[in-house]
Amino acid sequence: MPLAALVLFLLTGTLVPINRKFRETPGGIPVFVVSNGLHTDVVVPTQEPHTGLDWRPLLTAPGQPAPLAAYPFVAFGWGNADFYRNSRGGHTPGVGTTLRAALPSPTLLHVSWWAGPPQPGTRVAALHISAAQYQTLAATIQASFQTDSAGRFVPAALPGYTLHDRFFAAYGRYYILRTCNDWTNRVLRRAGLRAALKAPLAGSVLYQVQHAHKATSK
């Protein structure tokens, strides 16, 4: 595919909605898409009573206490392993890391715990969804984790940025057509939520989720 055609596809894919008829569920399960400007995470309840889903056992290594058990929300993001590794300490990954990420490369899942729901803002989009939609969304997230014989997620050797986050081994390869934001977009799309045809950028994901919220509010 010529470069100009590829760029056009990626950018116009932002504007083309999938699951256009999605509407929020009144009183449904809260989920959030949070962006730092470049990357997006999906934030969900740590324990969800309607579905009985509790993320803590899946995130707990043998012999360790449940991680940050009192934290009511947990965030999931998938991305290039070198990007995560080279962004430690507040650093910005270099040009070499960026160029290598255009080709298929290893990935990790980043999990962080939140003391409360994300606060509304230009980089936060919230939706309320049905129990069935949440179960599909959660299953899609779980399928990206490598698991041990007990079904728990496998911790990565890379330490977290803080005491409130961890990295885990992931499935999938990162490349120019399968980015961190495309992963978030795919999680939403498979759950039946409004998403973009293609979402290479954080703004691509937020644009469709924010439109979904506006459509419900009409």
Side-chain angles (χ1 to χ4, degrees):
M1 181 183 292
L3 180 59
L6 174 61
V7 172
L8 181 63
F9 168 69
L10 293 176
L11 294 179
T12 56
T14 296
L15 304 176
V16 179
I18 303 298
N19 302 324
R20 182 192 298 266
K21 295 183 179 180
F22 163 79
R23 295 295 183 272
E24 293 186 69
T25 300
I29 300 167
V31 298
F32 305 84
V33 175
V34 177
S35 168
N36 64 4
L38 298 175
H39 171 88
T40 50
D41 285 345
V42 180
V43 184
V44 301
T46 303
Q47 296 174 276
E48 203 300 296
H50 295 89
T51 59
L53 180 57
D54 185 349
W55 290 96
R56 294 173 303 169
L58 297 171
L59 295 164
T60 304
Q64 292 185 355
L68 302 169
Y71 281 59
F73 288 89
V74 60
F76 299 95
W78 177 94
N80 178 275
D82 280 345
F83 258 85
Y84 282 133
R85 186 173 295 109
N86 293 326
S87 60
R88 292 180 56 77
H91 295 115
T92 300
V95 175
T97 300
T98 303
L99 293 176
R100 286 191 297 272
L103 301 175
S105 48
T107 57
L108 293 172
L109 276 147
H110 182 231
V111 177
S112 55
W113 285 269
W114 291 56
Q119 296 303 302
T122 57
R123 293 182 176 179
V124 176
L127 294 173
H128 287 82
I129 65 176
S130 71
Q133 289 165 338
Y134 182 72
Q135 286 174 321
T136 302
L137 180 144
T140 304
I141 293 173
Q142 290 177 21
S144 293
F145 282 87
Q146 294 185 30
T147 56
D148 62 18
S149 58
R152 293 178 294 249
F153 303 151
V154 177
L158 183 66
Y161 298 126
T162 70
L163 296 176
H164 303 97
D165 68 296
R166 293 180 184 172
F167 287 99
F168 290 83
Y171 288 116
R173 307 288 281 181
Y174 186 105
Y175 59 102
I176 193 169
L177 293 178
R178 184 61 60 85
T179 67
C180 53
N181 299 307
D182 182 68
W183 179 85
T184 302
N185 191 67
R186 190 166 68 254
V187 167
L188 302 175
R189 185 178 69 240
R190 290 184 177 177
L193 314 187
R194 180 160 173 156
L197 174 64
K198 197 65 182 173
L201 306 174
S204 307
V205 185
L206 289 172
Y207 176 82
Q208 292 297 344
V209 177
Q210 289 165 345
H211 271 257
H213 181 69
K214 290 177 182 176
T216 302
S217 301
K218 289 181 179 178

